């Protein structure tokens, strides 16, 4: 489990492809302080497992399904990425519940400064928009953010200077892809409501609720 509070910006040092999967070697500093084999580190919001490490780098394996659902297929040596270690049990919870399981990708369609903020418009699949609401939480490239506005085709973020400078979102340009993880609580709620609706419809078909029952 993660919080979406990015700890540092790392860099892709090497990309080793093996058919539909790949291995990434990433350079980092802070997330290597107490790293162990098997630890989970979110790379641009994607929960990946540390397979090897040294004083300056760590390696992760990326499965085919992860490549299909995320923007990692486009990384190359030199690509900078957001990094966050899994949340410790005694740590501060500064963002929101982030699983590191990306729901899909979005595309930046517009960036514009206003006073001390930068507004970013992101277009995404309409299926994801049902989980995105104004003032709600969303994880974009591993960064916990508040949704400013929602349209029929996407949503808008408003970034403060710190977030803009301390995450890769400040480096992204119009047309770039970003990883999206919708609010975990919203997805669970949809599941519960959907199951309740199916149960109610089933009972109605069997005659429950009618006069005499």
């Amino acid at each position: 489990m993660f919080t979406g509070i990015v700890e540092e910006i790392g860099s892709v040092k090497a990309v080793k492809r093996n058919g539909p999967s790949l291995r990434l070697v990433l350079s980092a500093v802070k997330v290597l302080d107490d790293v162990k084999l098997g630890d989970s580190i979110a790379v641009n919001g994607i929960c990946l497992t540390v397979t090897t490490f040294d004083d300056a780098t760590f390696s992760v394996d990326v499965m085919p399904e992860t490549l299909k659902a995320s923007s990692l297929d486009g990384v190359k040596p030199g690509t900078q990425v957001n990094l966050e270690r899994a949340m410790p049990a005694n740590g501060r919870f500064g963002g929101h519940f982030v699983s590191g399981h990306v729901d899909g990708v979005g595309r930046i369609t517009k960036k514009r400064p206003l006073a001390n903020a930068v507004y970013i418009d992101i277009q995404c699949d309409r299926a994801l928009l049902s989980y995105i609401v104004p003032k709600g939480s969303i994880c974009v490239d591993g960064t916990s953010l508040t949704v400013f506005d929602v349209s029929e085709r996407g949503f808008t973020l408003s970034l403060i200077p710190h977030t803009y400078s301390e995450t890769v979102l400040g480096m992204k340009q119009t047309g770039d892809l970003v990883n999206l993880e919708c609010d975990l609580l919203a997805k669970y709620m949809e599941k519960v409501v959907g199951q309740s609706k199916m149960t109610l419809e089933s009972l109605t078909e069997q005659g429950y609720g009618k006069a005499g029952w």
Side-chain angles (χ1 to χ4, degrees):
M1 184 65 70
F2 305 90
T3 68
I5 303 300
V6 175
E7 294 189 85
E8 68 172 312
I9 295 177
S11 180
V12 176
K13 187 174 181 181
V15 179
K16 302 177 181 179
R17 293 192 175 272
N18 182 20
S21 64
L22 56 80
R23 170 169 289 191
L24 297 178
V25 180
L26 303 113
S27 62
V29 178
K30 186 177 294 185
V31 300
L32 295 175
D33 283 347
D34 55 357
V35 69
K36 301 182 294 295
L37 289 180
D39 278 357
S40 295
I41 294 180
V43 179
N44 272 0
I46 303 166
C47 178
L48 298 172
T49 301
V50 176
T51 55
T52 64
F53 68 91
D54 56 32
D55 291 339
T57 65
F58 68 97
S59 300
V60 294
D61 291 320
V62 184
M63 299 183 298
E65 288 302 315
T66 304
L67 286 181
K68 292 178 184 178
S70 73
S71 64
L72 284 185
D73 196 36
V75 301
K76 56 187 177 181
T79 297
Q80 293 184 295
V81 292
N82 289 327
L83 300 176
E84 181 194 356
R85 288 169 289 186
M87 177 187 172
N90 63 345
R92 290 181 179 273
F93 202 104
H96 71 280
F97 290 111
V98 176
S99 67
H101 303 151
V102 171
D103 293 304
V105 296
R107 186 179 299 276
I108 295 175
T109 58
K110 190 175 183 180
K111 292 179 70 174
R112 57 196 185 281
L114 179 62
N116 68 337
V118 176
Y119 288 77
I120 300 180
D121 294 339
I122 297 177
Q123 182 178 330
C124 66
D125 192 306
R126 291 191 177 185
L128 299 183
L129 288 176
S130 61
Y131 306 113
I132 304 174
V133 297
K135 312 305 179 186
S137 297
I138 190 167
C139 190
V140 181
D141 269 353
T143 307
S144 174
L145 295 165
T146 300
V147 177
F148 179 75
D149 194 17
V150 180
S151 68
E152 293 183 356
R153 301 186 64 187
F155 60 96
T156 301
L157 304 170
S158 178
L159 273 60
I160 62 173
H162 177 81
T163 304
Y164 193 79
S165 63
E166 296 299 318
T167 72
V168 298
L169 290 177
M171 308 172 193
K172 296 279 185 172
Q173 303 297 321
T174 300
D176 285 348
L177 296 177
V178 290
N179 293 318
L180 303 177
E181 181 185 331
C182 300
D183 188 358
L184 188 62
L185 297 179
K187 290 185 284 187
Y188 276 123
M189 182 61 71
E190 183 193 52
K191 182 73 171 181
V192 171
V193 171
Q195 289 179 333
S196 298
K197 183 179 179 181
M198 290 175 62
T199 300
L200 180 60
E201 290 175 347
S202 177
L203 290 173
T204 301
E205 289 175 358
Q206 296 175 44
Y208 290 93
K210 295 182 179 179
W213 287 90

